[in-house]
Amino acid sequence: MPGPTTRHRRIVALLVPVLSGLLVATVSVFGFSQPAAAASLTVAQAISSQTGGSGTVTGYIVGEPTATDTVRFSGFTGDTALAIADSASTTSTGSMLYVQITSSYRSSFGLLSNPSLIGKQLTVTGTLTAYFSHAGLKSPSAMSLGGGSTTSPTATGTASPTASSTTDTYYAAALGKTGSSLKSALHTITSTGVTKLSYDGVWTALKVTDQDPSNSSNVKLFYSGISRSKTLNGGSSGNWNREHVWPQSHGDFGTSAGPGTDLHHLRPEDVTINALRGNLDFDNGGSAVSGASGNYSDSDSWEPRAAVKGDVARMLFYMAVRYSGDDGFADLEVNNVTGNGSVPYTGKLSTLIAWHNADPPDSAEKARNQLIYSTYQHNRNPFIDHPEWAASIFG
C-alpha cells in the first residue's frame, strides 16, 4: 500500500498540467504572450502609413533622392539618402519611399560609395515620417539587403555605367521594349536627373569633351576635323564657336538652358564653316565646302565628312527622343524631308539611318558620351550605347 508521500506526489503530478493550462489561458486572455514579428510593409503601404511610428519596409533600391521631386538614378552625389520602390524599374518619385541613411550605415548603404546597390532588395526599419518633404523613413535602426538577409554590401560592381561597362541598370526601364514604348521609356530616362548647362558653360565643357587626343591644348573641330587652340573660342574669323547640330531655328529653342545648351548635339566648329552650315538639314550631295574637306552642301542640305556621319545621325535621334514637348520646348522630331526651316523637324531620316548603319559608334564617340554623363549632364545618348534601338524607333 502506498504511503502518504506517494499519494501527495501523484496529486502534484496531476495538478501540474492543469495549472500549466490555466497559466497559458491566463496569459492569452491578458495579452502577455510573446508577440509575433511584425510583417514587413511594402513601399506602397509605407507611403500610406506616414504616422511617425516605427515600421519595417522591404523594397528595391532605385536611386538617390536630392529634392522632393528629384531622384538621381546614376551619377550619385552623396551617401545620406536612398529611394526604394516596390519595383526595381520604378521611375516615378510618387511611388518611392525616401530613406535617410544615418552615419552608421553610410559606408555600407550610401549610393555614392556603393552604386552597385541599385536594383537590390533592401529591408529597413525606422520611423515612418516625411523626408525631403516626401513620404519617407528616417532614423533607421536596421538595414539589410534582401528579404531580411544580413549580407554586407560592397562596391565591387557598378551601376553607374562607364565607357566600357554594361549600361543595363541605366536603361532598365527600356530593356525589352520596342517602337513607341521604347521611345517613351528612353525619353523618361534621358530627361531624369539631368543637369542643364548655361550657354557660357558650354564653352568650358566643349574644351574637355572635344579635346584633340593628339594635342591637349586644342579642340577637334567637328565638320572640318581641324585641330584648333582651345583659347580661340569666339565669334571672329579664325575662331571656333558652338555648333548646334540640331539647328536652333528648327524648334526655335535658342540658347536657353535645355536643347540650346545640350552637349549631346553641341560641337566646336570654325565660325565660317558654322555659318555656311546654317540651319540646313542633312542629306547626301551638293558642292564641296571650302575649308571643310569631305563636306558638301546645297540649298537645303549638308553632307558632313564620312568620319562623323553616324555621329550626326545619333545626335539627331537623341534630340528627337530627349525633347518631346513636355518641358516647355518644342516636340522635336526627325522626318524624311529637307528644307524644314523653322518647324521643329530635322531630316532626312532615310539618309540618317543609312549614315548610322555605315558609321557605327567608335571609341571616341563612346568616350564623349560617357564624359557628358559622368561629368556634365548626367544623361546618355541611347543610340551610342544601343545602336540597334534606332531601327526600332525610327524604322
Side-chain angles (χ1 to χ4, degrees), residues 28-91:
S28 299
V29 168
F30 288 98
F32 299 132
S33 59
Q34 182 67 31
S40 181
L41 300 173
T42 66
V43 171
Q45 290 171 334
I47 290 173
S48 63
S49 302
Q50 297 288 288
T51 60
S54 179
T56 297
V57 187
T58 297
Y60 293 92
I61 301 172
V62 294
E64 176 200 8
T66 57
T68 302
D69 298 312
T70 304
V71 171
R72 286 184 174 273
F73 301 103
S74 56
F76 305 117
T77 59
D79 288 329
T80 59
L82 57 80
I84 60 175
D86 286 324
S87 168
S89 62
T90 296
T91 57

Side-chain angles (χ1 to χ4, degrees), residues 7 10-11 20 38 58 67 108 113 143 170 174 197 232 254 257 271 280 287 299 304 318 325 359 361 394:
R7 190 162 49 250
R10 287 177 178 173
I11 292 170
S20 298
T58 297
S108 296
S113 300
M143 298 180 75
Y170 179 76
L197 276 67
L232 291 176
V271 168
L280 297 174
S287 302
S299 62
Y318 161 83
D359 175 33
F394 299 105

Side-chain angles (χ1 to χ4, degrees), residues 183 246 319-320 323-324 331-335 344-347 394:
K183 184 180 180 183
W246 187 294
M319 293 292 281
Y323 299 99
S324 296
D331 180 2
L332 306 183
E333 295 293 346
V334 182
N335 64 9
Y345 306 122
T346 294
F394 299 105

Side-chain angles (χ1 to χ4, degrees), residues 268-308:
E269 188 48 70
D270 175 80
V271 168
T272 300
I273 302 302
N274 194 346
L276 289 173
R277 190 266 158 139
N279 69 348
L280 297 174
D281 289 274
F282 292 95
D283 198 4
N284 293 313
S287 302
V289 176
S290 177
S293 178
N295 292 257
Y296 300 88
S297 69
D298 57 26
S299 62
D300 62 4
S301 69
W302 181 276
E303 179 182 353
R305 59 193 176 102
V308 298

Side-chain angles (χ1 to χ4, degrees), residues 1 19 41 61 77 81 91-92 95 121 126 138 149 175 195-196 199 225 227 234 239 256 263 278 295 307 331 349 381:
M1 174 181 289
L19 291 171
L41 300 173
I61 301 172
T77 59
T91 57
S92 170
S95 299
Q121 190 180 56
K138 297 178 68 175
S149 70
L175 298 178
T195 298
K196 296 179 181 179
Y199 200 43
S227 181
N239 289 161
S256 57
L263 288 174
N295 292 257
D331 180 2
L349 178 57
N381 183 329

Side-chain angles (χ1 to χ4, degrees), residues 149-213:
S149 70
T150 56
T151 304
S152 297
T154 64
T156 55
T158 176
S160 179
T162 65
S164 59
S165 73
T166 180
T167 57
D168 282 357
T169 300
Y170 179 76
Y171 294 116
L175 298 178
K177 292 182 170 63
T178 59
S180 60
S181 294
L182 174 60
K183 184 180 180 183
S184 177
L186 292 178
H187 169 68
T188 299
I189 292 168
T190 58
S191 303
T192 301
V194 177
T195 298
K196 296 179 181 179
L197 276 67
S198 68
Y199 200 43
D200 283 342
V202 171
W203 284 125
T204 302
L206 289 179
K207 293 176 183 179
V208 179
T209 60
D210 291 76
Q211 177 176 290
D212 183 348

Side-chain angles (χ1 to χ4, degrees), residues 233-254:
N233 61 297
S236 302
S237 178
N239 289 161
W240 62 269
N241 58 6
R242 297 155 291 189
E243 155 69 350
H244 291 77
V245 177
W246 187 294
Q248 301 172 44
S249 62
H250 292 215
D252 192 29
F253 50 74

